[in-house]
Amino acid sequence: MVLDFIGRVNIAINIVKEKYPSALLYEADGSASKGETTRAEDIDTIRIVFVRPEDGATIIIKSNGYSRFDEPIVIPEPWLEDVVIEWPIEMTLLQANKLKEEAGYKNPYVCVTLRNPLGPVSTNPYFIFGDNHHQPFIFVDTVTGDVKTGR
């Protein structure tokens, strides 16, 4: 069985927390290695970014398959423009994709990012569908299910 996006983020969190217990989730970036898709299941690579609060360092772990991960790396610099994502979230990527399509946004995408942008106002985390250069980014609020577009 292939793990979904949230399942893979859970694995990454467990791996990183084992080595860096204070690490907090900043974002998870997934992509479809075969190109544009309309299926959440095609998001097969993922990079998960964490902050280490005691020194502001960035920790990154990448998948090298649906359930295999490289060793986490520590970058002694801060990752900017994100707010910590309180884990777990209730929405799955499959649910976000469905909400996006129900709102009329059925164009293909190459990447999806789960993040809580820093501003200009405080928000909930979003699944952000994008990298189709002909379309705006589609934002799906992981708490309310609201769907909107932006660049």
Side-chain angles (χ1 to χ4, degrees):
M1 178 178 170
V2 175
L3 285 172
D4 68 359
F5 188 88
I6 297 298
R8 288 180 278 153
V9 173
N10 279 328
I11 290 172
I13 288 170
N14 289 334
I15 292 169
V16 169
K17 289 268 195 186
E18 187 173 307
K19 286 188 163 195
Y20 309 101
S22 66
L24 301 170
L25 178 63
Y26 256 176
E27 70 180 54
D29 306 302
S31 62
S33 63
K34 294 180 181 170
E36 291 184 343
T37 186
T38 57
R39 296 169 19 100
E41 308 90 293
D42 292 340
I43 301 298
D44 58 349
T45 63
I46 193 168
R47 174 189 72 175
I48 300 95
V49 179
F50 299 82
V51 62
R52 191 167 58 188
E54 60 268 21
D55 62 3
T58 301
I59 302 167
I60 297 176
I61 187 169
K62 295 178 182 179
S63 70
N64 56 21
Y66 277 106
S67 61
R68 296 181 316 272
F69 287 85
D70 296 334
E71 284 295 312
I73 59 167
V74 176
I75 301 166
E77 302 295 330
W79 190 267
L80 302 176
E81 300 183 12
D82 280 339
V83 174
V84 169
I85 296 173
E86 297 299 324
W87 199 256
I89 63 168
E90 297 298 319
M91 185 178 288
T92 67
L93 178 55
L94 194 60
Q95 291 166 325
N97 193 61
K98 183 179 179 190
L99 289 168
K100 173 186 75 66
E101 289 180 349
E102 288 173 352
Y105 302 105
K106 297 182 181 183
N107 290 322
Y109 51 90
V110 176
C111 62
V112 175
T113 298
L114 172 64
R115 70 182 290 237
N116 192 352
L118 180 58
V121 295
S122 181
T123 66
N124 297 316
Y126 292 103
F127 276 111
I128 306 167
F129 296 82
D131 210 14
N132 177 334
H133 302 290
H134 310 293
Q135 303 295 324
F137 290 98
I138 310 300
F139 294 77
V140 179
D141 187 307
T142 62
V143 176
T144 67
D146 291 341
V147 179
K148 64 182 181 178
T149 63
R151 285 253 175 223

